[in-house]
Amino acid sequence: MSTQQGNLFVVSAPSGAGKSSLLRALLENKPALSVAVSHTTRPPRPGEQDGVHYHYVDKETFSDMVGRGEFLEHAQVFDNFYGTSEAAVRGPLDQGQDLVLEIDWQGARQVRQRFADACGIFIIPPSVAALRERLGTRGQDSEEVIQRRMRDAESEISHYPEYDYLVVNDDFDTALDQLRCILTARRLRQAQQDARLEGTLSELLAGQA
């Protein structure tokens, strides 16, 4: 019997919305869910590990990968490039693994061209003031960088209508619970349950319950 195809979740947010923290918490209690590790040309931040948070490569290597058609999606964000290997997505999905892509709206748009059934989730902060405070408390970026990220956030957020779900990260636990509900609802769709419960449904319809 063939393996049930996994679900693909595409999650985007402006910088400072708390997307990465929410996904880390989500993955802690979801063993059937994993994150595709993307490539990037930006340097690792403190505490990040190559092959865990990203595959860190230089711009020449990234360009060569683009030329070979290895990326499912790739885009420039600020002064750096990001991309997701197609093999890193199709492999787990074909094995029935649910997968999360943590990418921006440009990458999400490219993914939907190849995976029309992907579930899009967009995360936003509760206000401009909250976003400014979160960016400022990182302690890693200059004021000039923070101001640029604030300007770019407006452009990023303008693409929220392209997604299936919109989650406001005001209270962390509430936002996390909403993400869990989205995953559960996606897994309970009729098409997936039909394949997963084939035996049970056949028995019920045959009047053998």
Side-chain angles (χ1 to χ4, degrees):
M1 185 171 66
S2 62
T3 302
Q4 172 67 34
Q5 185 80 5
N7 292 291
L8 179 59
F9 298 93
V10 177
V11 183
S12 304
S15 180
K19 166 173 55 69
S20 296
S21 296
L22 283 168
L23 290 179
R24 278 196 300 270
L26 182 67
L27 289 164
E28 287 178 359
N29 298 312
K30 292 288 184 182
L33 182 69
S34 62
V35 175
V37 180
S38 300
H39 288 71
T40 183
T41 59
R42 78 157 171 80
R45 293 171 179 157
E48 292 184 340
Q49 300 178 28
D50 184 42
V52 176
H53 299 90
Y54 286 98
H55 297 294
Y56 299 97
V57 297
D58 57 32
K59 291 185 178 180
E60 182 179 359
T61 300
F62 192 95
S63 179
D64 289 342
M65 294 179 69
V66 172
R68 293 193 296 268
E70 296 182 20
F71 288 125
L72 172 65
E73 59 82 24
H74 61 89
Q76 182 174 0
V77 181
F78 305 124
D79 298 324
N80 297 296
F81 295 88
Y82 296 79
T84 305
S85 163
E86 182 166 358
V89 174
R90 291 195 181 276
L93 291 179
D94 289 344
Q95 294 299 315
Q97 176 77 36
D98 286 349
L99 195 66
V100 170
L101 288 184
E102 186 180 350
I103 54 181
D104 79 315
W105 69 268
Q106 299 175 77
R109 184 176 287 179
Q110 294 176 59
V111 168
R112 283 194 296 272
Q113 293 175 356
R114 310 281 278 275
F115 294 89
D117 200 37
C119 176
I121 305 171
F122 200 89
I123 300 171
I124 62 171
S127 67
V128 171
L131 178 60
R132 178 65 178 81
E133 180 181 359
R134 292 173 186 179
L135 290 174
T137 55
R138 284 181 172 183
Q140 299 170 7
D141 299 321
S142 66
E143 180 62 26
E144 181 181 357
V145 171
I146 291 173
Q147 290 298 328
R148 185 179 67 174
R149 291 184 184 276
M150 289 292 296
R151 292 192 300 269
D152 290 337
E154 181 179 354
S155 175
E156 184 86 12
I157 294 172
S158 71
H159 293 275
Y160 82 86
E162 300 176 22
Y163 293 74
D164 301 296
Y165 297 93
L166 183 62
V167 174
V168 180
N169 185 15
D170 185 0
D171 177 78
F172 185 88
D173 290 336
T174 298
L176 180 58
D177 185 57
Q178 290 173 347
L179 286 176
R180 289 171 177 154
C181 289
I182 293 170
L183 264 63
T184 299
R186 195 71 175 179
R187 290 166 173 169
L188 293 177
R189 287 180 303 164
Q190 182 272 326
Q192 289 210 332
Q193 289 290 74
D194 186 57
R196 188 178 295 115
L197 302 174
E198 181 179 1
T200 300
L201 291 169
S202 296
E203 180 183 3
L204 291 170
L205 292 172
Q208 300 176 12

